[in-house]
Amino acid sequence: AIISRVLLRLCRREAGRPSARLPEGAPLDVINECTQILAELAMLDLQHAEALASRHELIGTLFLLMAEPQAVDAALTLAQELLSAGQDVFPLTAVPDLPGLIGRLSPRGLALVSRALAVLLAKSAEQGLDAFPAPECVEPDLCVVCANNAALLALPSFLARVVALLRLRSPPAGLWGHIL
């Protein structure tokens, strides 16, 4: 718990102060070390992973870190662990300025963030949620799964960029040999 609080403070994401970007001059080497330690703990201890997964602010911060080339590997690893270990489906509303984040990702960054999104969407399917929403799930009172789907579909050019990635003859620069 202490390491996750340190990570949030380094990213200046304390409760009540959400930010859509990391602060200028954020110590990415220390942030990366904290993220790696949390990822290792999450992989070793499911209860610890479940406890971290309930901290939406932490997972939202991991999505922000995925936009940083220095931090993407550890952030992606930890996000995938937490998204799959959590009891509940993570709400994408906890990611500050998701459209801005997705819009500024490089093709490599988009490919990696899409892996975390795939875990999130698989979690919804894993929990036995049908492809069709329940009749009572209508705007503005959408369940988390429907709200996540709506948020992704509403992202400007998201689907077009993902389709463009799928059509590439080779992976985006820097993706060859990336840890799976």
Side-chain angles (χ1 to χ4, degrees):
I2 292 172
I3 296 173
S4 63
R5 283 190 296 238
V6 168
L7 177 61
L8 290 173
R9 281 191 189 244
L10 290 171
C11 297
R12 296 221 174 97
R13 296 276 335 275
E14 298 98 6
R17 289 183 46 198
S19 174
R21 292 184 183 249
L22 292 178
E24 185 76 27
L28 285 174
D29 54 337
V30 177
I31 289 170
N32 199 36
E33 288 294 322
C34 289
T35 307
Q36 288 175 353
I37 290 168
L38 288 172
E40 290 176 23
L41 288 171
M43 286 185 248
L44 292 172
D45 182 8
L46 181 60
Q47 288 179 331
H48 190 77
E50 288 173 347
L52 289 174
S54 68
R55 302 199 55 203
H56 293 170
E57 193 174 24
L58 175 61
I59 298 174
T61 299
L62 294 174
F63 274 91
L64 293 180
L65 289 173
M66 286 184 230
E68 301 294 332
Q70 260 184 281
V72 66
D73 291 330
L76 177 63
T77 301
L78 180 55
Q80 289 178 139
E81 287 296 320
L82 300 184
L83 289 169
S84 64
Q87 297 295 318
D88 299 319
V89 176
F90 172 74
L92 285 173
T93 56
V95 179
D97 187 27
L98 183 63
L101 172 68
I102 296 296
R104 70 178 179 267
L105 289 172
S106 66
R108 177 184 184 271
L110 180 62
L112 295 173
V113 167
S114 293
R115 287 174 50 184
L117 292 172
V119 172
L120 176 62
L121 296 174
K123 180 74 170 186
S124 301
E126 182 182 286
Q127 291 186 349
L129 300 170
D130 295 327
F132 299 102
E136 64 274 6
C137 189
V138 294
E139 287 186 303
D141 298 318
L142 295 176
C143 67
V144 173
V145 173
C146 292
N148 284 349
N149 291 339
L152 289 174
L153 292 173
L155 290 173
S157 75
F158 174 69
L159 291 178
R161 289 186 69 202
V162 170
V163 169
L165 281 175
L166 294 172
R167 289 185 174 160
L168 291 176
R169 294 187 188 271
S170 61
L175 208 54
W176 274 113
H178 192 273
I179 43 177
L180 301 173

